[in-house]
């Protein structure tokens, strides 16, 4: 634990990268028409509000090679179902663009956007 604290105290490049990735993903997803709450975390919720829709979208995204999880009651409040996207510093811009394209394709198929 002490070594990790030393690492993050001396070098913020990984934190900076994950936040850059999250900001890029959030901005591009909003531009595509998805309901993305404002925030500044590496976890980006894609709001769908409907549990079966969140499950179906997560399943279809897996078919596109994008691993995400649908969250719904009791994990989140009723009527607040969402897809939870966990970004990391290791994601490349190409991977983010692939995920955005996959979300866009599936979002159009399911009439989310």
């Amino acid at each position: 634990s002490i070594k990790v604290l030393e690492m993050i105290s001396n070098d913020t490049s990984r934190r900076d990268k994950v936040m850059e990735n999250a900001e890029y993903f959030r901005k591009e997803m909003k531009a595509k028409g998805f309901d993305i709450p404002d925030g500044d975390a590496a976890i980006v919720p894609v709001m769908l509000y409907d549990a079966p829709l969140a499950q179906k979208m997560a399943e279809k995204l897996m078919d596109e090679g994008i691993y995400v999880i649908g969250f719904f009651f009791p994990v989140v409040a009723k009527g607040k179902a969402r897809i939870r996207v966990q970004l990391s510093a290791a994601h490349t811009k190409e991977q983010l663009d692939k995920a955005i394209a996959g979300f866009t394709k599936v979002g159009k198929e399911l009439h989310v956007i």
Side-chain angles (χ1 to χ4, degrees):
S1 296
I2 292 171
K3 185 63 177 171
V4 170
L5 291 173
E6 283 177 20
M7 288 172 64
I8 62 176
S9 295
N10 295 327
D11 181 13
T12 63
S13 63
R14 288 183 183 100
R15 181 194 181 284
D16 297 343
K17 179 64 175 169
V18 74
M19 296 313 294
E20 179 184 307
N21 282 348
E23 183 179 328
Y24 176 79
F25 184 81
R26 187 176 276 109
K27 182 179 123 245
E28 294 299 316
M29 288 288 285
K30 282 182 178 184
K32 297 291 185 188
F34 288 96
D35 184 357
I36 310 290
D38 291 332
D40 61 354
I43 297 169
V44 178
V46 179
M47 301 304 297
L48 299 170
Y49 306 100
D50 179 74
L53 178 59
Q55 290 172 300
K56 185 170 189 159
M57 188 161 189
E59 181 182 309
K60 287 186 157 291
L61 285 164
M62 179 64 89
D63 293 340
E64 296 293 319
I66 301 159
Y67 178 67
V68 291
I69 302 291
F71 278 64
F72 41 88
F73 183 82
V75 178
V76 296
K78 282 187 180 181
K80 297 290 184 177
R82 64 197 70 188
I83 298 285
R84 181 182 190 261
V85 180
Q86 175 94 28
L87 297 160
S88 82
H91 286 120
T92 65
K93 185 172 182 298
E94 291 76 23
Q95 290 169 325
L96 297 177
D97 288 340
K98 178 184 176 181
I100 294 162
F103 265 96
T104 302
K105 177 184 175 189
V106 173
K108 287 179 179 179
E109 285 176 16
L110 298 177
H111 306 288
V112 171
I113 56 170

